Amino acid sequence: MTAKLIKGTEIREQILEEITAEVAEIKAKYGKVPGLVTILVGENPASISYVTLKIQTAHRVGFKEVQDSQPVTISEADLLALIDKYNKDDSINGILVQLPLPKHIDEKKVLNAIDPDKDVDGFHPVNVGRLMIGGDEVKFPPCTPAGIQEMIIRAGVETKGAEVVVVGRSNIVGKPIANMMIQKGKGANSTVTIVHTGTKDLAGHCKRADILIVAAGVPDLVKPEWIKPGACVIDVGVNRVGEKVNEAGKKVAILKGDVDFNAAKEIAGWITPVPGGVGPMTITMLMLNTLKSLKFKLGKK
Ligand code: NAP
């Protein structure tokens, strides 16, 4: 293996320790801790496990954590009223609505009802606009792209002037990370190309990339011959390709990324594994955004 592994699991630990220390400092000085509410509608098992992980992480870093579980039958009006209640609650700095929502509820309407200054997921149109403007305007970068950028920075990869190719143009990964990498500033200042299913020469674009960020959701889409020797490869893809029994005798999914990892690690300079790469960064950045939200309120940067 020639590539250096960028391990999200290790970077997560560093960042969570930094957050815990800062929360303790703010608590001692101001008597306040960041407050995060997670609103879960219904009993979707995947949503329950995501929410559980978020709650555990919030506890670990010393946040006030409110778990608000609502029945699948809740009306859209009642859910909007609940969001309004948390928008007005001074002890809450971040509001998180776990998706997907039941079909009778308009997801967009619900997400847009969150106060943009408590939208720690960074999906509200106001925060998307702030991200586009860049610089000091940015409050809450969306968590997965923020995690990707943080991994690139902490790995010491040069981004200024780098050719960055992003595979995928989703609103939650592709578009925001591309937007973040073109901004002037730390961990950015790159020249960015976005490729997608309408792109004519996918391989040709990928081959130019000093930093290749792949978020397509297609296992092994990126072939080793598409990778420039020494490039930094960030594999965002999480694809369930089967099941296995783990050491505890439990059935678990076999996960694969969008990059042919075994071959790519012999060519790339840096690479993220799947699992254990980008995945652990998302909840970590959610915690960072919630801490930031309290700091904005306290007038700290
Ligand atoms: P998405 O909304 O399905 O978007 C996928 C994008 O990839 C689309 O823009 C699509 O192009 C493009 N694409 C798909 N197949 C392609 C191909 N053969 N050639 C070129 N482009 C192709 O997916 P997403 O939400 O961004 O997620 C992408 C992957 O990242 C998934 O595996 C997801 O599970 C994973 N993910 C991981 C995390 C995490 O680790 N924390 C977070 C979010 C997502 P078109 O627009 O032309 O259709």
Side-chain angles (χ1 to χ4, degrees), residues 238-297:
V238 180
N239 305 293
R240 283 160 212 272
V241 293
E243 273 189 343
K244 63 177 180 186
V245 177
N246 70 8
E247 284 156 13
K250 225 176 125 190
K251 258 192 191 171
V252 291
I254 301 173
L255 302 179
K256 222 175 192 312
D258 289 352
V259 177
D260 178 351
F261 178 82
N262 284 326
K265 72 183 192 322
E266 304 303 332
I267 301 160
W270 295 264
I271 193 163
T272 59
V274 177
V278 175
M281 295 299 291
T282 301
I283 292 180
T284 307
M285 300 318 278
L286 178 75
M287 299 302 136
L288 200 59
N289 275 350
T290 308
L291 171 60
K292 269 189 190 170
S293 179
L294 174 61
K295 284 164 70 180
F296 287 133
K297 219 175 122 197

Side-chain angles (χ1 to χ4, degrees), residues 16 34-41 46-69 94 96 98 283-284 286-287 290:
L16 291 181
L36 176 68
V37 59
T38 47
I39 302 174
L40 173 66
V41 178
S47 296
I48 292 174
S49 78
Y50 287 134
V51 164
T52 307
L53 206 55
K54 287 169 189 172
I55 293 167
Q56 285 169 348
T57 314
H59 274 301
R60 175 180 160 181
V61 294
F63 289 3
K64 168 185 165 172
E65 191 283 318
V66 179
Q67 188 192 357
D68 195 328
S69 295
L96 196 110
Q98 185 63 45
I283 292 180
T284 307
L286 178 75
M287 299 302 136
T290 308

Side-chain angles (χ1 to χ4, degrees), residues 6-26:
I6 309 178
K7 292 186 189 165
T9 42
E10 283 179 6
I11 299 175
R12 168 184 62 193
E13 293 308 305
Q14 291 165 12
I15 297 175
L16 291 181
E17 275 173 29
E18 290 162 15
I19 295 174
T20 308
E22 214 174 335
V23 169
E25 211 177 282
I26 290 175

